[in-house]
């Protein structure tokens, strides 16, 4: 099976712009989670989508949003970019089944966003 | 919410030695604990995981132990090799967190030949 793919791999934007990142999960996986990784804060959870519905959200401002399509592909959008948004954005896919039973999460290579 | 502490932040060992990385978690309801390895320029790779109904799990040179009472879990790598050099992250998932993982800050492991 192909792994999790993310596009683009690298992005350079200026403050105030917006950006859209894309994630294609492993075939058959219905859950996509997004994480922000920075040297100072480590890996922080942004949100999770399952069957086109956001079912969990981390503690990030409303400038960060996402969506999931019927084929499970997901996009995340960041509006009004700030310097502090520079980070590696990772998505992870899983089968997402169940509440009390955890399914393994597999990460993509990430999108490196630089805001200048 | 869940909080995961990871130690040490850096670990240097000689090839062939063992390496141990420790994590503690705060939410006693957490029930799933994966470990990830991240190499430079790549996304985290799941290397082993353990669920709360198991005390220990092994996969070749790596093993994970879980102490639910003390709320800590550890990664053990035996016979380390230079290719084990990477950043390792522990994580915990609360029972009500769907697919949400809370990560430790990471341990940079350097294995010298």
């Amino acid at each position: 099976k192909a792994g999790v793919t993310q596009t683009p791999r690298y992005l350079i934007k200026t403050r105030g712009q917006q950006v859209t990142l894309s994630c294609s999960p492993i075939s058959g996986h219905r859950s996509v989670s997004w994480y922000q990784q920075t040297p100072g804060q480590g890996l922080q959870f942004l949100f999770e989508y399952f069957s086109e519905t956001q079912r969990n959200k981390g503690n990030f401002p409303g400038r960060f949003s996402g969506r999931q399509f019927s084929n499970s592909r997901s996009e995340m959008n960041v509006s009004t970019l700030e310097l502090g948004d520079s980070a590696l954005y990772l998505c992870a896919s899983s089968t997402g089944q169940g509440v009390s039973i955890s399914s393994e999460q597999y990460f993509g290579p990430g999108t490196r966003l630089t805001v200048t | 919410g869940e909080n995961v502490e990871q130690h040490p932040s850096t670990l240097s060992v000689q090839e062939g030695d063992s390496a141990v990385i420790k994590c503690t978690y705060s939410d006693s309801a957490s029930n799933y604990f994966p470990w990830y390895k991240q190499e430079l320029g790549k996304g985290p790779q799941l290397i082993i995981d353990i669920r709360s109904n198991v005390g220990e799990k092994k996969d070749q040179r790596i093993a994970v132990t879980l102490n639910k009472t003390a709320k800590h879990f550890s990664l053990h790598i035996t016979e380390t090799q230079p290719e084990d050099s990477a950043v390792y992250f522990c994580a915990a998932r609360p029972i009500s967190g769907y697919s949400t993982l809370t990560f430790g800050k990471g341990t940079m492991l350097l294995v010298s030949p």
Side-chain angles (χ1 to χ4, degrees):
Chain A
K1 277 186 179 177
V4 179
T5 58
Q6 292 187 245
T7 57
R9 292 293 311 277
Y10 303 91
L11 266 178
I12 300 176
K13 293 285 188 180
T14 56
R15 279 178 296 175
Q17 288 186 314
Q18 74 166 18
V19 66
T20 299
L21 313 181
S22 180
C23 172
S24 292
I26 293 170
S27 177
H29 285 192
R30 295 165 63 190
S31 167
V32 173
S33 298
W34 289 88
Y35 294 83
Q36 181 194 65
Q37 185 175 29
T38 58
Q41 298 298 319
L43 278 149
Q44 292 187 289
F45 171 73
L46 282 156
F47 30 65
E48 185 216 358
Y49 286 86
F50 179 78
S51 292
E52 301 180 67
T53 300
Q54 184 184 90
R55 68 177 180 181
N56 211 354
K57 189 178 189 302
N59 189 27
F60 277 80
R63 300 185 297 106
F64 293 81
S65 63
R67 59 177 176 169
Q68 186 179 34
F69 303 94
S70 58
N71 61 357
S72 295
R73 189 178 70 86
S74 177
E75 290 181 346
M76 68 162 281
N77 184 78
V78 187
S79 63
T80 320
L81 285 166
E82 300 177 0
L83 294 179
D85 297 333
S86 294
L88 180 67
Y89 290 88
L90 294 157
C91 85
S93 83
S94 68
T95 59
Q97 298 297 326
V99 174
S100 61
I101 299 174
S102 299
S103 53
E104 295 83 1
Q105 284 194 49
Y106 299 94
F107 283 84
T111 294
R112 173 72 63 184
L113 172 64
T114 301
V115 182
T116 62
Chain B
E2 176 64 279
N3 183 51
V4 177
E5 299 282 341
Q6 183 172 347
H7 299 279
S9 56
T10 58
L11 179 59
S12 294
V13 300
Q14 292 289 321
E15 183 177 0
D17 289 348
S18 293
V20 180
I21 302 170
K22 299 182 179 181
C23 290
T24 60
Y25 60 98
S26 61
D27 187 349
S28 58
S30 288
N31 65 351
Y32 175 64
F33 308 92
W35 286 87
Y36 287 86
K37 174 185 180 183
Q38 187 173 26
E39 298 174 315
L40 199 61
K42 297 183 178 181
Q45 174 193 2
L46 178 66
I47 57 172
I48 195 167
D49 57 13
I50 191 167
R51 290 176 168 75
S52 58
N53 59 345
V54 176
E56 184 177 4
K57 184 177 178 181
K58 290 182 180 180
D59 183 3
Q60 299 183 346
R61 295 187 298 110
I62 61 173
V64 58
T65 59
L66 171 64
N67 183 326
K68 286 195 304 181
T69 303
K71 289 189 286 186
H72 69 69
F73 56 113
S74 300
L75 177 72
H76 304 253
I77 306 174
T78 59
E79 301 173 22
T80 54
Q81 301 167 4
E83 51 265 39
D84 293 329
S85 297
V87 179
Y88 290 81
F89 293 94
C90 63
R93 174 198 176 275
I95 194 168
S96 59
Y98 297 104
S99 295
T100 304
L101 294 174
T102 299
F103 283 86
K105 293 292 190 186
T107 296
M108 180 175 289
L109 174 64
L110 177 61
V111 181
S112 303

